[in-house]
Tab-separated table of all heavy atoms in Angstrom:
chain	number	residue	atom	x	y	z
I	2	THR	N	140.081	355.145	-55.082
I	2	THR	CA	138.829	354.504	-55.269
I	2	THR	C	138.676	353.278	-54.329
I	2	THR	O	139.650	352.826	-53.788
I	2	THR	CB	138.662	354.016	-56.741
I	2	THR	OG1	139.616	353.012	-57.029
I	2	THR	CG2	138.793	355.126	-57.740
I	3	ASN	N	137.468	352.765	-54.171
I	3	ASN	CA	137.255	351.642	-53.385
I	3	ASN	C	138.073	350.417	-53.845
I	3	ASN	O	138.646	349.669	-53.087
I	3	ASN	CB	135.780	351.229	-53.319
I	3	ASN	CG	134.932	352.251	-52.500
I	3	ASN	OD1	135.482	352.945	-51.672
I	3	ASN	ND2	133.639	352.327	-52.810
I	4	PHE	N	138.099	350.222	-55.212
I	4	PHE	CA	138.848	349.130	-55.733
I	4	PHE	C	140.361	349.293	-55.534
I	4	PHE	O	141.069	348.339	-55.272
I	4	PHE	CB	138.572	348.894	-57.225
I	4	PHE	CG	139.173	347.620	-57.709
I	4	PHE	CD1	138.584	346.385	-57.424
I	4	PHE	CD2	140.313	347.693	-58.484
I	4	PHE	CE1	139.238	345.184	-57.892
I	4	PHE	CE2	140.975	346.497	-58.953
I	4	PHE	CZ	140.377	345.299	-58.610
I	5	ALA	N	140.861	350.535	-55.568
I	5	ALA	CA	142.243	350.776	-55.404
I	5	ALA	C	142.626	350.399	-53.933
I	5	ALA	O	143.669	349.760	-53.735
I	5	ALA	CB	142.619	352.252	-55.629
I	6	ALA	N	141.787	350.733	-52.988
I	6	ALA	CA	142.054	350.367	-51.584
I	6	ALA	C	141.992	348.829	-51.409
I	6	ALA	O	142.891	348.277	-50.704
I	6	ALA	CB	141.019	351.015	-50.682
I	7	PHE	N	141.030	348.262	-52.073
I	7	PHE	CA	140.989	346.729	-52.070
I	7	PHE	C	142.231	346.124	-52.637
I	7	PHE	O	142.788	345.194	-52.088
I	7	PHE	CB	139.738	346.274	-52.810
I	7	PHE	CG	139.797	344.790	-53.169
I	7	PHE	CD1	139.430	343.855	-52.192
I	7	PHE	CD2	140.136	344.393	-54.399
I	7	PHE	CE1	139.503	342.521	-52.482
I	7	PHE	CE2	140.239	343.041	-54.700
I	7	PHE	CZ	139.876	342.064	-53.754
I	8	TYR	N	142.691	346.632	-53.774
I	8	TYR	CA	143.834	346.085	-54.457
I	8	TYR	C	145.069	346.149	-53.618
I	8	TYR	O	145.860	345.303	-53.591
I	8	TYR	CB	144.031	346.778	-55.811
I	8	TYR	CG	145.090	346.167	-56.646
I	8	TYR	CD1	144.944	344.878	-57.144
I	8	TYR	CD2	146.323	346.817	-56.877
I	8	TYR	CE1	145.936	344.271	-57.946
I	8	TYR	CE2	147.336	346.185	-57.615
I	8	TYR	CZ	147.161	344.931	-58.182
I	8	TYR	OH	148.160	344.347	-58.848
I	9	THR	N	145.274	347.266	-52.937
I	9	THR	CA	146.413	347.447	-52.083
I	9	THR	C	146.357	346.335	-50.914
I	9	THR	O	147.336	345.686	-50.666
I	9	THR	CB	146.397	348.866	-51.438
I	9	THR	OG1	146.504	349.814	-52.448
I	9	THR	CG2	147.544	348.991	-50.455
I	10	ALA	N	145.217	346.224	-50.281
I	10	ALA	CA	145.050	345.215	-49.232
I	10	ALA	C	145.212	343.815	-49.838
I	10	ALA	O	145.882	342.923	-49.158
I	10	ALA	CB	143.709	345.386	-48.562
I	11	TRP	N	144.686	343.588	-50.980
I	11	TRP	CA	144.782	342.263	-51.615
I	11	TRP	C	146.216	341.904	-51.919
I	11	TRP	O	146.634	340.753	-51.678
I	11	TRP	CB	143.903	342.238	-52.868
I	11	TRP	CG	143.867	340.899	-53.573
I	11	TRP	CD1	142.963	339.888	-53.311
I	11	TRP	CD2	144.777	340.441	-54.563
I	11	TRP	NE1	143.246	338.856	-54.154
I	11	TRP	CE2	144.336	339.125	-54.912
I	11	TRP	CE3	145.844	340.994	-55.218
I	11	TRP	CZ2	145.035	338.380	-55.886
I	11	TRP	CZ3	146.542	340.250	-56.162
I	11	TRP	CH2	146.126	338.957	-56.481
I	12	SER	N	146.972	342.849	-52.387
I	12	SER	CA	148.377	342.597	-52.713
I	12	SER	C	149.195	342.312	-51.453
I	12	SER	O	150.095	341.483	-51.481
I	12	SER	CB	148.964	343.869	-53.462
I	12	SER	OG	148.360	344.084	-54.673
I	13	ASP	N	148.856	342.967	-50.395
I	13	ASP	CA	149.488	342.728	-49.095
I	13	ASP	C	149.194	341.328	-48.628
I	13	ASP	O	150.113	340.614	-48.101
I	13	ASP	CB	149.036	343.732	-48.007
I	13	ASP	CG	149.589	345.122	-48.261
I	13	ASP	OD1	150.530	345.273	-49.059
I	13	ASP	OD2	149.026	346.118	-47.706
I	14	GLN	N	147.944	340.864	-48.836
I	14	GLN	CA	147.576	339.483	-48.438
I	14	GLN	C	148.281	338.420	-49.345
I	14	GLN	O	148.657	337.373	-48.925
I	14	GLN	CB	146.075	339.323	-48.492
I	14	GLN	CG	145.384	340.156	-47.427
I	14	GLN	CD	143.840	340.071	-47.607
I	14	GLN	OE1	143.356	339.691	-48.678
I	14	GLN	NE2	143.106	340.512	-46.646
I	15	LEU	N	148.499	338.845	-50.636
I	15	LEU	CA	149.177	338.006	-51.554
I	15	LEU	C	150.640	337.782	-51.052
I	15	LEU	O	151.198	336.680	-51.165
I	15	LEU	CB	149.138	338.507	-52.955
I	15	LEU	CG	149.854	337.750	-54.057
I	15	LEU	CD1	149.270	336.343	-54.160
I	15	LEU	CD2	149.846	338.494	-55.362
I	16	GLN	N	151.216	338.865	-50.559
I	16	GLN	CA	152.590	338.749	-50.074
I	16	GLN	C	152.630	337.781	-48.883
I	16	GLN	O	153.561	336.988	-48.760
I	16	GLN	CB	153.039	340.140	-49.678
I	16	GLN	CG	154.495	340.218	-49.200
I	16	GLN	CD	155.459	340.058	-50.348
I	16	GLN	OE1	155.566	340.901	-51.266
I	16	GLN	NE2	156.249	338.988	-50.348
I	17	GLN	N	151.634	337.825	-48.037
I	17	GLN	CA	151.567	336.913	-46.889
I	17	GLN	C	151.415	335.516	-47.288
I	17	GLN	O	152.052	334.589	-46.773
I	17	GLN	CB	150.492	337.385	-45.938
I	17	GLN	CG	150.633	338.725	-45.278
I	17	GLN	CD	149.402	339.168	-44.499
I	17	GLN	OE1	148.523	338.376	-44.192
I	17	GLN	NE2	149.307	340.473	-44.195
I	18	LEU	N	150.548	335.276	-48.301
I	18	LEU	CA	150.323	333.918	-48.814
I	18	LEU	C	151.624	333.376	-49.477
I	18	LEU	O	151.990	332.205	-49.357
I	18	LEU	CB	149.191	333.851	-49.785
I	18	LEU	CG	147.799	334.112	-49.160
I	18	LEU	CD1	146.756	334.255	-50.236
I	18	LEU	CD2	147.451	332.864	-48.265
I	19	LEU	N	152.321	334.294	-50.115
I	19	LEU	CA	153.622	333.917	-50.778
I	19	LEU	C	154.579	333.427	-49.735
I	19	LEU	O	155.257	332.380	-49.923
I	19	LEU	CB	154.131	335.052	-51.590
I	19	LEU	CG	155.556	334.850	-52.200
I	19	LEU	CD1	155.530	333.655	-53.135
I	19	LEU	CD2	156.037	336.160	-52.919
I	20	ARG	N	154.665	334.156	-48.642
I	20	ARG	CA	155.522	333.698	-47.545
I	20	ARG	C	155.158	332.324	-46.972
I	20	ARG	O	156.064	331.497	-46.700
I	20	ARG	CB	155.569	334.704	-46.429
I	20	ARG	CG	156.370	336.006	-46.773
I	20	ARG	CD	156.632	336.812	-45.520
I	20	ARG	NE	155.415	337.481	-45.018
I	20	ARG	CZ	154.966	338.683	-45.367
I	20	ARG	NH1	155.702	339.443	-46.208
I	20	ARG	NH2	153.871	339.117	-44.805
I	21	GLN	N	153.874	332.070	-46.912
I	21	GLN	CA	153.429	330.779	-46.459
I	21	GLN	C	153.811	329.667	-47.408
I	21	GLN	O	154.188	328.566	-47.037
I	21	GLN	CB	151.901	330.798	-46.196
I	21	GLN	CG	151.446	331.670	-45.117
I	21	GLN	CD	149.906	331.647	-44.959
I	21	GLN	OE1	149.252	330.666	-45.149
I	21	GLN	NE2	149.348	332.784	-44.564
I	22	LEU	N	153.631	329.923	-48.715
I	22	LEU	CA	154.059	328.961	-49.748
I	22	LEU	C	155.500	328.677	-49.696
I	22	LEU	O	155.900	327.500	-49.786
I	22	LEU	CB	153.602	329.468	-51.089
I	22	LEU	CG	152.149	329.432	-51.486
I	22	LEU	CD1	151.977	330.132	-52.843
I	22	LEU	CD2	151.630	328.026	-51.589
I	23	CYS	N	156.279	329.724	-49.537
I	23	CYS	CA	157.739	329.531	-49.534
I	23	CYS	C	158.273	328.784	-48.347
I	23	CYS	O	159.308	328.100	-48.356
I	23	CYS	CB	158.433	330.944	-49.623
I	23	CYS	SG	158.273	331.748	-51.208
I	24	SER	N	157.519	328.880	-47.209
I	24	SER	CA	157.969	328.289	-45.943
I	24	SER	C	157.390	326.837	-45.836
I	24	SER	O	157.853	326.098	-44.903
I	24	SER	CB	157.516	329.069	-44.727
I	24	SER	OG	156.115	329.176	-44.701
I	25	ALA	N	156.537	326.405	-46.718
I	25	ALA	CA	155.935	325.059	-46.590
I	25	ALA	C	156.945	324.021	-47.127
I	25	ALA	O	157.784	324.300	-47.989
I	25	ALA	CB	154.695	324.956	-47.474
I	26	PRO	N	156.946	322.832	-46.474
I	26	PRO	CA	157.861	321.740	-46.880
I	26	PRO	C	157.603	321.367	-48.319
I	26	PRO	O	156.566	320.906	-48.626
I	26	PRO	CB	157.588	320.628	-45.887
I	26	PRO	CG	156.856	321.279	-44.707
I	26	PRO	CD	156.092	322.462	-45.323
I	27	ASN	N	158.583	321.517	-49.158
I	27	ASN	CA	158.428	321.213	-50.586
I	27	ASN	C	159.691	320.727	-51.178
I	27	ASN	O	160.720	321.487	-51.199
I	27	ASN	CB	157.946	322.432	-51.353
I	27	ASN	CG	157.237	322.092	-52.650
I	27	ASN	OD1	156.745	321.020	-52.801
I	27	ASN	ND2	157.230	323.024	-53.580
I	28	PRO	N	159.859	319.443	-51.478
I	28	PRO	CA	158.758	318.500	-51.681
I	28	PRO	C	158.193	318.002	-50.307
I	28	PRO	O	158.959	317.991	-49.321
I	28	PRO	CB	159.387	317.323	-52.420
I	28	PRO	CG	160.808	317.372	-52.062
I	28	PRO	CD	161.153	318.862	-51.931
I	29	PRO	N	156.972	317.645	-50.252
I	29	PRO	CA	156.380	317.101	-49.025
I	29	PRO	C	156.989	315.794	-48.563
I	29	PRO	O	157.231	314.924	-49.406
I	29	PRO	CB	154.895	316.923	-49.310
I	29	PRO	CG	154.874	316.713	-50.812
I	29	PRO	CD	156.024	317.544	-51.366
I	30	THR	N	157.305	315.659	-47.302
I	30	THR	CA	157.918	314.425	-46.801
I	30	THR	C	156.974	313.588	-46.018
I	30	THR	O	157.299	312.387	-45.740
I	30	THR	CB	159.163	314.797	-45.916
I	30	THR	OG1	158.685	315.703	-44.872
I	30	THR	CG2	160.198	315.538	-46.696
I	31	THR	N	155.830	314.126	-45.666
I	31	THR	CA	154.831	313.360	-44.976
I	31	THR	C	153.454	313.639	-45.569
I	31	THR	O	153.247	314.553	-46.389
I	31	THR	CB	154.777	313.745	-43.474
I	31	THR	OG1	154.223	315.075	-43.346
I	31	THR	CG2	156.122	313.614	-42.829
I	32	GLN	N	152.468	312.803	-45.209
I	32	GLN	CA	151.140	313.017	-45.692
I	32	GLN	C	150.582	314.344	-45.218
I	32	GLN	O	149.792	315.034	-45.916
I	32	GLN	CB	150.160	311.847	-45.281
I	32	GLN	CG	148.926	311.743	-46.027
I	32	GLN	CD	149.145	311.332	-47.488
I	32	GLN	OE1	150.150	310.798	-47.837
I	32	GLN	NE2	148.205	311.658	-48.345
I	33	ASP	N	150.952	314.709	-43.951
I	33	ASP	CA	150.480	316.036	-43.407
I	33	ASP	C	151.049	317.201	-44.292
I	33	ASP	O	150.380	318.196	-44.536
I	33	ASP	CB	150.924	316.172	-42.002
I	33	ASP	CG	150.111	315.311	-41.033
I	33	ASP	OD1	148.953	314.864	-41.477
I	33	ASP	OD2	150.549	315.132	-39.887
I	34	HIS	N	152.332	317.040	-44.700
I	34	HIS	CA	152.919	318.064	-45.544
I	34	HIS	C	152.157	318.175	-46.859
I	34	HIS	O	151.996	319.254	-47.397
I	34	HIS	CB	154.405	317.716	-45.775
I	34	HIS	CG	155.252	317.936	-44.579
I	34	HIS	ND1	156.509	317.387	-44.506
I	34	HIS	CD2	155.038	318.541	-43.382
I	34	HIS	CE1	157.037	317.773	-43.308
I	34	HIS	NE2	156.123	318.434	-42.641
I	35	LEU	N	151.816	317.014	-47.406
I	35	LEU	CA	151.059	316.992	-48.742
I	35	LEU	C	149.759	317.736	-48.585
I	35	LEU	O	149.366	318.578	-49.435
I	35	LEU	CB	150.869	315.544	-49.167
I	35	LEU	CG	150.061	315.395	-50.494
I	35	LEU	CD1	150.882	316.059	-51.644
I	35	LEU	CD2	149.880	313.917	-50.740
Side-chain angles (χ1 to χ4, degrees):
T2 65
N3 289 337
F4 187 76
F7 164 80
Y8 185 69
T9 298
W11 184 89
S12 296
D13 290 342
Q14 291 173 347
L15 179 62
Q16 184 74 64
Q17 295 173 15
L18 289 171
L19 174 59
R20 285 195 289 268
Q21 292 178 34
L22 286 174
C23 291
S24 63
N27 201 23
T30 55
T31 68
Q32 198 65 23
D33 287 343
H34 289 165
L35 179 62

